[in-house]
Amino acid sequence: MTTIKLHNSKTRKKEVFRPIDPNNVRMYVCGPTVYDRAHIGNARPVVVFDVLNRLLRHVYGETHVTYVRNFTDVDDKINARAAESGRPISEITAETTQWYLDDMAALGAREPDFMPRATQYIPQMIAMIETLIADGFAYAKDGHVLFRVRAYKHYGALSGRSVDDMIAGARVEVAPYKEDPMDFVLWKPSSDDLPGWESPWGRGRPGWHIECSAMAKDLLGETFDIHGGGNDLQFPHHENEIAQSCCASGHAEDGGGFANYWLHNEMLQVEGKKMSKSLGNFFTVRDLLDQGVPGEVIRFVFLSTHYGKPMDWTAKKAAEAEATLRKWRTLTDGVEAGQVSEALVAALADDLNTAGAIAELHKLAGVGDAAGLLASANMLGLLTGELGDWAKGVDLSAYEVLLADTRAKAMESKDFSEVDRIKSALVEAGVEVRMSKAGVELLPAAGFDAAKLEGLL
């Protein structure tokens, strides 16, 4: 069996992945807060953990992996959006959840086995909070329930910082109901105009962190294999998840339980700068799709950089990815998938080295192994039928004949002006022109626009 190695954020080193139960490998990934469209930074963890999900299923078996990704559908941002728009919260969350699913599907991401919504797990959250209070790890005051951070001696193990350092370097809410500035909210009161549920502490709603702990426990058990998400979630969200989950399951002293391996993807930039609306470089996934950037191209660009490194989205990378994918789709058109490359699997098994996996695809394309290319690309979620036929149906054979005939005549007359004119028109239309002694080959490249070829024949 393939040995998988993953960089564990908690131990800060690459480790051999040993699942608790090889017949049921379990992974939880933090999903979106559904109040608006997902921006391209939100999509990076989706693609990263989709590839890990595919690798785990390839190694352990399609039916031996349980993948959970949640939806946060109770949150102050959602409440604010409802207040601004005058629309019901349920209507907003239903719409934005479907937007998210549609946009991620356009990037070739498979849907997880379970996609729980926070509002479906309020009873489980209340039960976990009651356990934490009973064991002295949480306290209720003024309708709030808070977790006692200093009661958990391992707090900070994931982020590698002490509690006192966190207080000095972070923005912490100082409130009269807090015993300590670092204590975080498990439950808070709701006014009549906000979503709320009855609880032992009055009508209210859960804090952000408790939802993932409750859903992960319910669907995966108190201890499971992998927990993933963006690097921005490491503190405080994941740190808080660990604290409350370990304390609720009786692992306060040893700091064990919950997730054995933690994976975090780095952030995304646009053209070398942090994505920001003020800089005009803020894009949602839907923005790019509506601009004509195929979802497969977005996925390819994401996978070209290792998940543990910052990724830079650039127009040049997108154009190069489009050109490559057009060539590969032309090469594999009508071909039956063969065997997945062992070298590609080995690259992915080495801490999801997707850049190395793509290098292997280039090798397969270079030697003309279309069947191997198709099977191996499919494992990365590329060249699949689900991603559409955006690169298919381009027949340039008539233009190949035109250019070949014109070149043959030019060889006799020694006047290549017409060859240059045709070649320039083809390049302008986004066609890669390859001329050799063997003949002429034309391939649609980045930005191909068939309309620009009108009148050339």
Side-chain angles (χ1 to χ4, degrees), residues 180-418:
D180 187 284
M182 282 301 295
D183 292 349
F184 59 86
V185 172
L186 299 173
W187 189 265
K188 53 189 172 183
S190 290
S191 57
D192 292 340
D193 60 332
L194 292 175
W197 291 263
E198 293 303 322
S199 79
W201 319 286
R203 183 178 179 276
R205 60 196 191 279
W208 174 33
H209 314 297
I210 194 68
E211 65 179 67
C212 288
S213 289
M215 289 186 281
K217 177 184 176 182
D218 190 81
L219 293 168
L220 299 176
E222 286 187 342
T223 303
F224 54 95
D225 297 299
I226 300 170
H227 195 311
N231 196 44
D232 57 326
L233 298 180
Q234 193 174 71
F235 179 82
H237 186 50
H238 290 164
E239 197 78 73
N240 292 352
E241 277 188 67
I242 292 172
Q244 63 202 11
S245 294
C246 290
C247 291
S249 64
H251 286 282
E253 282 302 309
D254 59 27
F258 203 43
N260 288 341
Y261 299 84
W262 287 82
L263 270 70
H264 292 93
N265 64 275
E266 263 291 354
M267 297 296 97
L268 178 144
Q269 297 178 320
V270 175
E271 302 290 347
K273 297 179 180 179
K274 183 178 178 179
M275 188 166 61
S276 159
K277 289 182 179 179
S278 63
L279 293 175
N281 64 351
F282 181 93
F283 301 105
T284 66
V285 173
R286 181 51 51 182
D287 287 337
L288 292 177
L289 295 171
D290 288 347
Q291 289 168 18
V293 180
E296 188 171 27
V297 168
I298 300 172
R299 184 183 185 91
F300 188 101
V301 174
F302 281 2
L303 297 181
S304 298
T305 301
H306 187 268
Y307 78 90
K309 297 179 179 178
M311 200 213 86
D312 192 17
W313 173 272
T314 68
K316 181 182 178 184
K317 286 181 181 178
E320 291 172 347
E322 183 180 334
T324 297
L325 289 167
R326 283 189 182 278
K327 293 174 191 174
W328 290 355
R329 281 194 171 265
T330 299
L331 180 62
T332 58
D333 191 17
V335 172
E336 224 174 275
Q339 295 296 313
V340 176
S341 160
E342 291 183 8
L344 180 133
V345 174
L348 293 181
D350 183 16
D351 195 29
L352 287 188
N353 181 5
T354 52
I358 287 178
E360 179 60 23
L361 295 183
H362 280 291
K363 290 179 184 178
L364 293 170
V367 299
D369 184 359
L373 171 63
L374 182 59
S376 302
N378 284 173
M379 187 173 168
L380 276 177
L382 299 170
L383 306 188
T384 64
E386 291 83 1
L387 285 169
D389 58 357
W390 64 271
K392 292 183 178 180
V394 180
D395 184 4
L396 297 174
S397 58
Y399 299 96
E400 288 179 347
V401 171
L402 171 66
L403 186 55
D405 288 347
T406 304
R407 186 176 70 156
K409 293 175 183 176
M411 295 291 286
E412 295 180 4
S413 67
K414 307 301 180 186
D415 180 3
F416 288 87
S417 58
E418 184 63 8

